[in-house]
Amino acid sequence: MAGRFYTFAVYRIGMAGLTSIERLGEFGLIDHLTKRFPLPQAPLLTGIGDDAAVYLPAAGKAQVVTTDLLLEGVHFDLGYTPLRHLGYKAVAVNVSDLAAMNADPVGITVSFGVSSRFSVEALEELYAGIAHACEAYGVQLLGGDTSSSRQGLVLSVTAVGEAHPGQITYRHGARPGDLICVSGDVGAAYAGLMVLEREKAVFKDRPDLQPDLTSYDYVVGRLLRPEARLDIVRLLRELGVQPTAMMDVSDGIASELHHLCRQSSCGAQIYAHKIPIDYQTVAVAEEFKLPPVAFALNGGEDYELIFTVPIGQFDTIKSARDFAVIGHMTPDAGIIQLVSEGGEAVDIEAQGWNHFTSTP
């Protein structure tokens, strides 16, 4: 995990002793960075090297497309984000969107903008992470674009997937009485962010000190290198369960529930003691004197799946250890409540990240 080799200012991306991008040029750089990727395989007919990739979807399947933009200083801090992890994460968050639609990933395009302060070796690290993620999720690199940037590193990934039309899961399918489930545990990525930002502040005052993150390896890893939960999608298929609605947890459970409820014209009740939170997340929350449930509700960037299933399938899913039932949908449209262990219900609002009102 990330904590095993993490250091502040891990990448010195200046040019001393390294290869400048100008030396290779745009097309030489693309050839250099993509040479590690395998030749096109079905359903891809042609990929890198032409003006566009040619993709032949399987008969009877619909194409599912998603894209995500990562900006330096907004979505990531290169002071503590290894470029290899960033490359992996850029792929994972897009594959996570496909998983949330109950689709299988096929391929990705990668586009980036960089300034002259980045070396070829730095971009090799970025693409090493991309290649690792492609292998892990079984996707192919279809192509992309590169450009200069005056605003730091800009990274955009588009992912293409496919699914039978009747298999695709949308946000609007939940119904009153459906069970609300969440995979893995939530709040860990925000805990990792809190730790890294605290240690960054210490490092600014004492650059001779490197943080000891041994006891934070899990939460730091969840932030810097999240995983898309394709395994949950495949487990549900094995169980014969198709969610009625589903999203990935990018902005916190509260925000995602608001999306699901608004588009499904339902309300929701979730139970605080049912929300899966890792012990390391709890420990970090206690250090910052904050309730752990707040990390889960509003933290985001966990990329777990939150989904609903008919209550009649409870017996089918109750023994699954990879996700937890945390509540149920209600007929009270727009009303989302958190129920304490004592039975007190309080309304919860979405307080996750908003790109146009939040500051990094």
Side-chain angles (χ1 to χ4, degrees):
M1 297 298 290
R4 293 181 182 175
F5 56 85
Y6 162 87
T7 57
F8 277 96
V10 65
Y11 288 107
R12 290 168 175 80
I13 51 182
M15 299 311 304
L18 301 175
T19 308
S20 70
I21 295 173
E22 290 181 358
R23 180 176 172 182
L24 295 183
E26 178 182 357
F27 297 110
L29 178 64
I30 293 172
D31 290 342
H32 180 76
L33 295 176
T34 58
K35 65 184 180 182
R36 73 174 71 230
F37 291 85
L39 295 174
Q41 303 173 28
L44 187 65
L45 301 184
T46 187
I48 299 169
D50 279 280
D51 288 314
V54 181
Y55 159 54
L56 185 64
K61 288 193 175 183
Q63 295 181 46
V64 184
V65 182
T66 184
T67 191
D68 203 68
L69 183 65
L70 298 175
L71 304 174
E72 182 180 354
V74 177
H75 302 99
F76 60 89
D77 185 332
L78 287 180
Y80 52 69
T81 305
L83 286 168
R84 187 177 294 242
H85 283 19
L86 178 62
Y88 191 99
K89 182 175 183 177
V91 178
V93 300
N94 280 273
V95 173
S96 181
D97 282 334
L98 295 178
M101 299 293 291
N102 205 17
D104 295 308
V106 173
I108 61 165
T109 64
V110 177
S111 298
F112 64 87
V114 289
S115 68
S116 59
R117 89 184 209 266
F118 287 82
S119 65
V120 171
E121 286 78 5
L123 296 179
E124 285 175 350
E125 282 292 298
L126 181 71
Y127 265 71
I130 292 171
H132 186 187
C134 285
E135 181 180 0
Y137 298 122
V139 301
Q140 299 183 64
L141 182 63
L142 308 180
D145 193 21
T146 182
S147 176
S148 61
S149 169
R150 298 179 181 178
Q151 304 298 323
L153 177 59
V154 178
L155 184 60
S156 177
V157 174
T158 296
V160 179
E162 58 184 25
H164 291 289
Q167 169 188 310
I168 298 173
T169 302
Y170 302 93
R171 298 178 182 182
H172 61 250
R175 297 292 178 264
D178 283 359
L179 302 175
I180 302 169
C181 306
V182 65
S183 67
D185 60 85
V186 285
Y190 185 69
L193 177 63
M194 295 284 281
V195 169
L196 290 176
E197 286 293 326
R198 180 186 65 191
E199 298 304 315
K200 177 184 175 182
V202 173
F203 179 76
K204 284 182 177 180
D205 290 336
R206 292 289 307 276
D208 56 313
L209 295 178
Q210 286 292 337
D212 180 4
L213 297 177
T214 304
S215 58
Y216 304 108
D217 58 342
Y218 179 70
V219 295
V220 168
R222 287 295 302 272
L223 174 70
L224 297 182
R225 215 201 77 168
E227 294 287 356
R229 297 308 305 265
L230 281 176
D231 58 319
I232 295 297
V233 171
R234 290 161 182 165
L235 172 62
L236 290 171
R237 290 177 191 169
E238 289 174 7
L239 293 173
V241 175
Q242 178 164 334
T244 52
M246 185 156 57
M247 288 185 66
D248 66 344
V249 183
S250 58
D251 296 318
I253 285 181
S255 179
E256 316 312 355
L257 275 177
H258 274 272
H259 287 303
L260 290 176
C261 288
R262 182 172 63 252
Q263 296 200 27
S264 296
S265 300
C266 292
Q269 276 197 338
I270 59 173
Y271 298 87
H273 66 285
K274 296 288 188 180
I275 299 174
I277 303 176
D278 186 79
Y279 75 92
Q280 203 172 99
T281 304
V282 173
V284 171
E286 290 174 350
E287 284 184 33
F288 285 90
K289 296 180 172 52
L290 293 170
V293 72
F295 284 29
L297 292 177
N298 301 311
E301 290 212 68
D302 290 304
Y303 299 101
E304 296 291 346
L305 293 176
I306 185 168
F307 56 95
T308 56
V309 299
I311 193 169
Q313 293 185 313
F314 176 71
D315 286 340
T316 304
I317 66 170
K318 65 181 180 181
S319 60
R321 296 182 178 181
D322 300 273
F323 53 84
V325 178
I326 64 169
H328 61 275
M329 304 297 284
T330 72
D332 302 317
I335 299 177
I336 301 171
Q337 295 183 319
L338 177 70
V339 182
S340 69
E341 288 195 66
E344 181 183 3
V346 296
D347 292 347
I348 57 176
E349 297 182 1
Q351 298 179 22
W353 177 262
N354 184 318
H355 291 278
F356 298 101
T357 61
S358 303
T359 55

